Amino acid sequence: MIQHQSDSGIGFKASAFGPDFHWGVAISAAQNEGAILSDGRSVSIWDVFARRSGVIKRGVTPAQACDFYHRYKDDILLVKALGFNSFRFSISWSRILPDGSGKVNVQGIRFYDDVINECLLNGLIPFITLYHWDLPQVLQQQGGWVSPLINKWFRHFTKICAKAFGDRVKHWLVLNEPVGFTSLGYMMGKHAPGKQNLSFFLRAVHHAAIAQAEGGRILRKYVDGARIGTTFSCSEVIPATLNKNDLTAAARIDLLLNRLLVEPLLGKGFPEDDKGLMDKMNRENLSWKYTDRMQFDMDFIGLQNYFPVVIKHNSFIPIVQASEVSAKSRQVPYTAMGWEVNPSSFQNIIKRFWKYGAIKELMITENGAAYNDKFIGGKINDADRINYFQTHLQALNQCMKDGVRISGYFAWTLMDNFEWAEGHEARFGLVYVDFKTQLRTIKDSGYWWREFLR
Ligand code: NOJ
């Protein structure tokens, strides 16, 4: 229940989370930068994938996005104006290494130097995500995440970024949602590079598990005083009923959504307790074996949560034999993406990760909601989004009171951007973007944040 006890509308202010708490917004290169061929950058898998007909709503591509490449100074000022103290952005691999693995593009380095310096100038702590889904297309042509060479390529890229930016950037995230980009990109075909192949997916998972740990080791070696993390998408999985088939289906989806990539990182190996699933994987004759290359002692884990899922048994769905019961059909509140709004599930999934015991600290590196914002009279009244943030912050605060160590919260996202397969249809920003003019307008939720953080 929301109690109206202070200006923030939730009974407490940001200071309740402690003086050193990271309050930030997160963005990513492919979703915001645009300028895909400027200053020596080569194309990424998203630039190429988006040109296929029918894969992105209304045929939008990331070619312009929010033009952050040219407008970063003003956008960073916005982050500051809204009262945040931290800013999370990702590095476009194709800007730094247009050949994917060879020579460094000095102009690419210079761009991120400028972004970092601008953050520091404005008192914002920069958080770098190394990989937020935009692999250089040249590397995809050699297999991308399916090729074992990806680990060598990624080590090279990581080392270059660590050496170039590590003098000023101390907060690092290795991968963004590895379950997301491996499953949507290599098995479901909904995201770049658009593959639909179980064996590709499993190989990509294997290589991502190695990459996240190796990335951590390289950052540790080259960045003095680094605080190193990596991010995981997560969703509480709720069985539709208590009958055995639904419970089995829910456990399987839970394994895939929540456990698959964090457990090897924590030194527990890939989860092997779902026999049916394991048999299928083994039949693919893949090396599904854990090696200590996949373990790394992260300083913190970044959790990204938006919604829970309700799962029922469905024998028609290959491999997982499970399907989702939509929020709409259950008559619960949901966002413009059809995602259930459920702050208790946010609390439950955070506590679940904390229970591993091996995680030192958590940060919420993404949380937010898309709504069909209406631009009326120069204003955007997005009360639903404000309510989403308020109730999720209350849940987060409760987790901390219950003993979970949480050191940051990043709202997704600064401004409406290129939302992958949704194109410009899903607006998650605290700032409204008119994609024709690139005009930015702070939404009511942005003003709410400014008040909350004041
Ligand atoms: C997670 C991804 O990291 C981000 O890129 C995406 O825009 C949000 N989820 C919302 O879908």
Side-chain angles (χ1 to χ4, degrees), residues 24-75:
V25 281
I27 69 162
S28 82
Q31 293 177 276
N32 292 265
E33 286 178 7
I36 60 170
L37 292 174
S38 299
D39 301 330
R41 183 191 184 276
S42 66
V43 288
S44 84
I45 52 175
W46 271 96
D47 304 322
V48 174
F49 176 72
R51 284 192 223 126
R52 283 197 211 166
S53 105
V55 295
I56 315 273
K57 288 201 178 146
R58 292 179 195 265
V60 165
T61 74
Q64 260 88 49
C66 310
D67 196 30
F68 179 78
Y69 191 73
H70 297 109
R71 295 165 197 264
Y72 67 91
K73 286 195 179 172
D74 287 345
D75 290 336

Side-chain angles (χ1 to χ4, degrees), residues 71-117:
R71 295 165 197 264
Y72 67 91
K73 286 195 179 172
D74 287 345
D75 290 336
I76 288 171
L77 277 178
L78 264 175
V79 180
K80 183 185 177 186
L82 296 182
F84 294 97
N85 61 27
S86 302
F87 182 48
R88 174 183 169 215
F89 58 92
S90 76
I91 306 277
S92 151
W93 188 334
S94 323
R95 258 189 226 294
I96 303 289
L97 291 162
D99 304 336
S101 57
K103 226 175 120 243
V104 176
N105 174 24
V106 190
Q107 289 166 295
I109 300 278
R110 196 175 306 140
F111 171 64
Y112 293 106
D113 270 340
D114 290 346
V115 171
I116 292 162
N117 293 341

Side-chain angles (χ1 to χ4, degrees), residues 27-28 31 88 132-133 176-177 231 233 304 306 337 339 366 412-413 417-420 428:
I27 69 162
S28 82
Q31 293 177 276
R88 174 183 169 215
H132 201 127
W133 303 0
N176 183 72
E177 298 194 355
T231 79
S233 46
Q304 320 207 137
Y306 291 86
M337 303 270 283
W339 295 353
E366 279 185 32
W412 185 267
T413 180
N417 59 26
F418 172 74
E419 174 56 29
W420 310 117
F428 277 90

Side-chain angles (χ1 to χ4, degrees), residues 131-186:
Y131 184 74
H132 201 127
W133 303 0
D134 47 353
L135 192 72
Q137 176 67 14
V138 285
L139 297 184
Q140 183 54 42
Q141 277 152 0
Q142 300 165 67
W145 283 94
V146 177
S147 165
L149 288 174
I150 188 75
N151 291 121
K152 184 171 134 234
W153 301 328
F154 188 66
R155 285 196 300 272
H156 181 58
F157 170 57
T158 302
K159 190 166 152 188
I160 288 164
C161 293
K163 285 178 146 183
F165 310 127
D167 57 336
R168 287 150 295 155
V169 178
K170 301 301 173 189
H171 294 83
W172 293 79
L173 294 157
V174 182
L175 298 183
N176 183 72
E177 298 194 355
V179 173
F181 75 77
T182 54
S183 65
L184 292 163
Y186 289 92

Side-chain angles (χ1 to χ4, degrees), residues 385-398:
R385 185 175 289 106
I386 295 176
N387 177 65
Y388 186 95
F389 284 126
Q390 288 175 325
T391 51
H392 283 72
L393 289 173
Q394 284 176 321
L396 187 67
N397 192 244
Q398 191 57 48

